Structures are given as C-alpha cells and as structure tokens.
Amino acid sequence: MSGGRIAFQGELGANSHEACMAAYPAMQPVPHATFEEAFEAVKTGDCQLGMIPVENSTAGRVADVHHLLPSSGLKIIGERFKPIHFHLMANPGVRREDIRTVVSMPFAWGQCRRMLSTLDVTMEAAGDTAASARIVSEHPDPTRAAIAPALAAEIYGLEILARDIEDEHHNTTRFLVMTAEAAPKPPPFTEPCITSFTFKVRNLPAALYKAMGGFATSGVNISKLESYMEDGAWTATFFYAEADGRPEDRGLALAFEELGFFAEKFEILGVYPADPFRTRG
C-alpha cells in the first residue's frame, strides 16, 4: 500500500514503529498510547492500517491483544515477523559504570535479564520502550539509562552504550496487520495462507476435543490455539485459533463444518499470506 497512515501502539521509536517502517515504508506511522486507541484509529478511518504485536518468541504473548481482536471490528490482512534488538542507551557523556537506574517496560526487562544481572541497577518501569528513551532524554541524569530500540536513540539524541543486549538473538516479535475493510481482497492463491478465527465451545463434556477433531481427520494444521474468557463467564470458554490454509480449501472447509456442531459464535478474523519467516526463521 502506498501513502496513507498506519497506526501502532507506543511512542515514536518503538519496535512497532520500526515494524511499520520496514513493512510499509511509504506510509506514515502514527503512535497511540494504547492498543484500544490504535484499533479505534483504524476503525474510524484516521489510519488505513494497524500494526499490532501479538507474541514474542522470548516473552510470550502480548497481554490483552488476543482478547481485543474479536471485538475490534477489524480484519487481519497480514503478518510480519520482526527480529527484536534492544540496546542500552543514555545521554551523551554518561558512562556505563555510573548507571544506577535503567528505565524500560517490564516486557523488555524479561528479554534482557542476562545483561541486566551484570549491572548494579534498579529498574524503573515505563509504559513503552521508546517512552523510556524519551524520559531519559528529557531528564538528563548521569546515573540513568534506558533499554530501547536503536531508532529511539536516533530520535531522542541518546548514545548507545551496549548493543543487542537481548538474551536470545533469535528474539522475534510477530505482528498482525489490521484493516477496517469488511471484506478485504483475498490473497493470491499462489501464496500459502493462514486463517485466523474465534469460537466458543459449547458447555458439553469434551467439547474442545470434539471441536478440534475435524481438523485432525481433515489433515489441517492448527498453528495456534489460545483460550480467554469473555465477560467473566466460567461456564464456557472462547478460543482464538490459527489454521494453515483458506476457508475454501476442502480440508479446512470440512473442519469448520465439524467445528460448527460443537462450537458457537464462530468468526473468521482474517485470511492472509503466511510470512516467509515461518519457514526460514
């Protein structure tokens, strides 16, 4: 897509900002304080697309996002896998050995534990990795540093004291690309695809086992299955799932037909090309 605006959660310089620039260099990345606000920007048309992180290979799934997806009113049209690199940064002239406080978001701490254990520092929480860089920049202190992406150091005029401090160098975040189009153009049939969907199992014994049986007998791979509660109800559970293929493929069509006997509130959230990173990553 050329031109237009793409929404992301976080501040300028965040990993989501970098993901927007890499995937849609012709679009203007637009920051939002919360995921809800980013979804709303796409829903109202202020932004044409949204770039939303859903899981990280080191820290697991991003809290709340899977719960927000079904109620967002948006459709998934793509996925992007982005290698994540964190850097220790501070104001010009600050020495690494003088740092006593490191500012970042807890999600980032969990990905940089090994390096942090070598420093005699106190952690200070920020709502976003890029926000931590901005905070350190706006309040210069020779004892404070931030953990953030390289783009944040560039935007906020900080110096990088240590590069690639993440524990695992295969550290990767998966993003979903969202649109407000009710019926987005389907991907070419030449591309391997993923279908994302939600459903609620009926309150019956072995309902989930039976609901998933059709995928096994039809030879359809389920690459993700996650549960969540809606409205605090304990009697039935909602699931977010991803399957290889398209709804019109014979195997997936039969699996969805079988699913209908044991589940309700079934909804397809998107059909989109599988990122090549899946096979090379």
Side-chain angles (χ1 to χ4, degrees), residues 8-9 14-20 50-55 76 78-84 172-177 272 275:
F8 69 92
Q9 185 277 328
N15 279 303
S16 295
H17 183 186
E18 289 186 337
C20 291
M51 182 72 72
I52 306 297
V54 290
E55 57 193 320
I76 305 168
E79 64 172 358
R80 296 290 187 276
F81 288 82
K82 180 186 184 300
I84 301 298
T172 304
T173 293
R174 178 177 178 243
F175 293 82
L176 294 179
V177 182
Y272 48 95
D275 190 305

Side-chain angles (χ1 to χ4, degrees), residues 99-104 109 116 119-125 143 145:
I99 295 171
R100 293 294 175 264
T101 303
V102 176
V103 186
S104 197
W109 304 349
L116 288 172
L119 302 175
D120 182 18
V121 296
T122 299
M123 301 304 301
E124 180 180 318
T143 67

Side-chain angles (χ1 to χ4, degrees), residues 35-113:
F35 288 117
E36 289 92 339
E37 290 175 16
F39 282 128
E40 188 65 18
V42 180
K43 192 173 181 178
T44 61
D46 181 64
C47 293
Q48 288 67 54
L49 296 177
M51 182 72 72
I52 306 297
V54 290
E55 57 193 320
N56 176 267
S57 61
T58 301
R61 76 176 183 179
V62 179
D64 297 334
V65 171
H66 287 92
H67 180 74
L68 294 171
L69 284 174
S71 60
S72 69
L74 306 181
K75 294 292 185 182
I76 305 168
I77 60 168
E79 64 172 358
R80 296 290 187 276
F81 288 82
K82 180 186 184 300
I84 301 298
H85 300 291
F86 286 118
H87 313 285
L88 183 69
M89 56 190 69
N91 284 286
V94 172
R95 300 185 306 170
R96 179 171 169 173
E97 56 266 31
D98 293 333
I99 295 171
R100 293 294 175 264
T101 303
V102 176
V103 186
S104 197
M105 64 183 300
F107 192 75
W109 304 349
Q111 299 175 41
C112 305
R113 295 182 188 277

